[in-house]
């Protein structure tokens, strides 16, 4: 049985991640499905493409050569598809965006209508930590990045997308009756931090230092979702972006604790390298954001004004 384009794609992602599990996550497939595709692809060759040593997957030298060929074939297929769409007068090509983890609550709303109108656009969206987002931008691996803290060592251009409000939050077990508390309240609360390098932690620490607050850091976690779950479980309190806790506030699982000086305000920015030569797709997306951002904010994020 000849190998398929799907098998080439699966094998290429496996070689890039060197993990069946990670490949399955990236391809939005189950691990068994990826393993079956790898096995079926391997059956086309008399030489091993991969090997497992100590439960780790390694790509053989022959497998690496096949991966290079697979990438070249897939790129040609994409080019054919894009050219076909271009002849039909449709925008076609790749749009590559890296987003800090909290940005996953925002960016889909600024992509939805653009992708609906331009169905020939292929989106590659990488949601990761701030350090990797900035690294991907610096290496020119992406067209745009979404951040709340601007990188100071890069020459960039930007669009200010929307405001980012951060509040002190806790679960619903304890009652806070005062209209407003002094910042000294933070001295008595065990705080849960994001990991070093995250935008949320940067804003949080800047506030603490500016107000000279004696903070009791209880733990450090590597994602906003992990912090939220820890707060829900009663393990402590945290300073979190409003954008990521809408459902929990609506259902009464979390509460905003009113402290003077809150919310802490920052801004979500779409950024790109200064002087970047945009593809037609990237240029079209930038124009779309510039023209439509106010309408999207009014339609999708008006609820933020309630807090």
């Amino acid at each position: 049985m000849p190998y398929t384009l799907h098998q080439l794609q699966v094998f290429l992602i496996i070689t890039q991640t060197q993990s069946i599990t990670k490949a399955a996550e990236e391809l939005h497939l189950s691990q068994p499905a990826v393993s079956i595709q790898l096995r079926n692809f391997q059956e086309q060759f008399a030489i091993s493409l991969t090997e497992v040593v100590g439960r780790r997957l390694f790509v053989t030298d022959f497998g690496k050569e096949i991966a290079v060929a697979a990438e070249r074939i897939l790129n040609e297929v994409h080019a054919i598809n894009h050219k076909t769409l271009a002849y039909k007068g449709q925008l076609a090509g790749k749009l590559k965006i890296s987003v800090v983890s909290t940005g996953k609550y925002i960016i889909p709303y600024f992509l939805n209508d653009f992708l609906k109108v331009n169905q020939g656009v292929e989106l590659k969206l990488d949601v990761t930590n701030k350090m990797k987002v900035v690294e991907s931008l610096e290496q020119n691996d992406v067209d745009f990045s979404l951040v709340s803290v601007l990188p100071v060592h890069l020459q960039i251009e930007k669009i200010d997308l929307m405001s980012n409000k951060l509040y002190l939050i806790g679960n619903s077990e304890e009652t806070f009756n005062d209209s407003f508390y002094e910042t000294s309240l933070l001295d008595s609360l065990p705080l849960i931090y994001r990991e070093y390098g995250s935008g949320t932690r940067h804003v949080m620490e800047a506030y603490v230092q500016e107000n000279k607050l004696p903070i009791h850091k209880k733990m450090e976690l590597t994602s906003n979702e992990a912090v939220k779950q820890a707060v829900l479980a009663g393990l402590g309190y945290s300073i979190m972006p409003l954008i990521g806790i809408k459902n929990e506030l609506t259902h009464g699982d979390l509460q905003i604790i009113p402290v003077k000086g809150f919310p802490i305000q920052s801004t979500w920015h779409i950024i790109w390298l200064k002087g970047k030569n945009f593809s037609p797709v990237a240029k079209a997306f930038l124009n779309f954001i510039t023209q439509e951002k106010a309408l999207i904010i009014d339609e999708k994020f008006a609820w933020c004004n309630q807090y």
Side-chain angles (χ1 to χ4, degrees):
M1 180 181 69
Y3 47 79
T4 65
L5 291 174
H6 181 57
Q7 288 172 349
L8 289 175
Q9 182 187 30
V10 170
F11 180 66
L12 181 60
I13 298 300
I14 290 172
T15 63
Q16 291 171 343
T17 61
Q18 295 199 350
S19 165
I20 297 294
T21 301
K22 291 179 181 178
E25 291 175 355
E26 187 163 335
L27 291 162
H28 304 290
L29 297 172
S30 67
Q31 291 184 41
V34 171
S35 297
I36 290 170
Q37 291 298 325
L38 176 60
R39 184 179 68 241
N40 291 341
F41 188 59
Q42 174 64 75
E43 288 176 355
Q44 313 304 312
F45 305 94
I47 304 172
S48 295
L49 299 170
T50 62
E51 58 184 353
V52 177
V53 179
R55 301 184 68 181
R56 287 186 61 192
L57 184 143
F58 294 89
V59 182
T60 66
D61 289 340
F62 178 68
K64 291 176 182 177
E65 291 187 23
I66 297 301
V68 171
E71 184 171 21
R72 187 165 58 247
I73 291 168
L74 291 168
N75 285 339
E76 288 298 326
V77 171
H78 287 311
I80 291 170
N81 293 336
H82 295 159
K83 286 177 182 177
T84 302
L85 290 167
Y87 270 94
K88 291 180 178 179
Q90 298 179 30
L91 188 67
K94 288 186 178 181
L95 177 64
K96 296 176 286 185
I97 304 176
S98 58
V99 179
V100 293
S101 59
T102 311
K104 66 178 177 284
Y105 300 109
I106 296 173
I107 196 65
Y109 297 100
F110 291 93
L111 287 165
N112 185 39
D113 286 344
F114 179 77
L115 295 176
K116 281 183 178 178
V117 172
N118 302 290
Q119 296 187 12
V121 173
E122 179 185 343
L123 173 67
K124 182 178 180 182
L125 181 65
D126 184 22
V127 180
T128 183
N129 61 41
K130 175 174 169 282
M131 186 179 300
K132 291 182 179 178
V133 165
V134 173
E135 181 181 332
S136 66
L137 187 71
E138 188 172 12
Q139 298 298 320
N140 201 28
D141 291 333
V142 296
D143 299 307
F144 304 102
S145 294
L146 176 66
V147 297
S148 60
V149 178
L150 296 173
V152 296
H153 66 291
L154 294 180
Q155 288 191 317
I156 61 167
E157 297 183 70
K158 66 183 177 71
I159 290 178
D160 295 338
L161 195 61
M162 58 182 285
S163 65
N164 182 31
K165 299 178 182 179
L166 294 93
Y167 288 90
L168 177 66
I169 62 145
N171 68 10
S172 57
E173 292 177 359
E174 188 170 348
T175 301
F176 294 85
N177 292 319
D178 291 3
S179 298
F180 275 100
Y181 289 87
E182 298 294 334
T183 54
S184 57
L185 174 68
L186 290 163
D187 186 23
S188 64
L189 300 178
L191 286 186
I192 302 170
Y193 272 55
R194 278 289 306 276
E195 81 282 6
Y196 180 77
S198 81
T200 298
R201 175 163 176 162
H202 176 87
V203 173
M204 183 174 173
E205 288 188 324
Y207 177 83
V208 167
Q209 292 170 7
E210 181 181 344
N211 290 276
K212 299 181 174 60
L213 301 175
I215 294 299
H216 299 289
K217 184 169 75 171
K218 185 170 185 178
M219 65 181 70
E220 183 176 301
L221 300 174
T222 57
S223 73
N224 269 2
E225 193 62 32
V227 172
K228 181 166 65 176
Q229 294 303 320
V231 174
L232 285 166
L235 295 177
Y237 300 80
S238 193
I239 296 172
M240 295 194 68
L242 176 65
I243 201 71
I245 56 175
K246 176 185 178 182
N247 290 338
E248 290 76 15
L249 290 174
T250 301
H251 298 144
D253 299 319
L254 291 177
Q255 62 176 317
I256 291 173
I257 303 169
V259 175
K260 289 183 179 178
F262 280 79
I264 305 171
Q265 298 271 7
S266 66
T267 303
W268 288 107
H269 311 275
I270 293 283
I271 64 174
W272 61 93
L273 288 177
K274 188 173 183 179
K276 183 173 177 60
N277 185 20
F278 286 128
S279 68
V281 168
K283 187 179 295 184
F285 179 68
L286 190 61
N287 290 337
F288 172 82
I289 289 293
T290 302
Q291 295 169 13
E292 302 295 331
K293 70 169 188 173
L295 179 62
I296 294 170
I297 291 169
D298 286 344
E299 288 185 350
K300 304 300 182 182
F301 300 102
W303 65 269
C304 294
N305 297 325
Q306 300 173 21
Y307 299 94

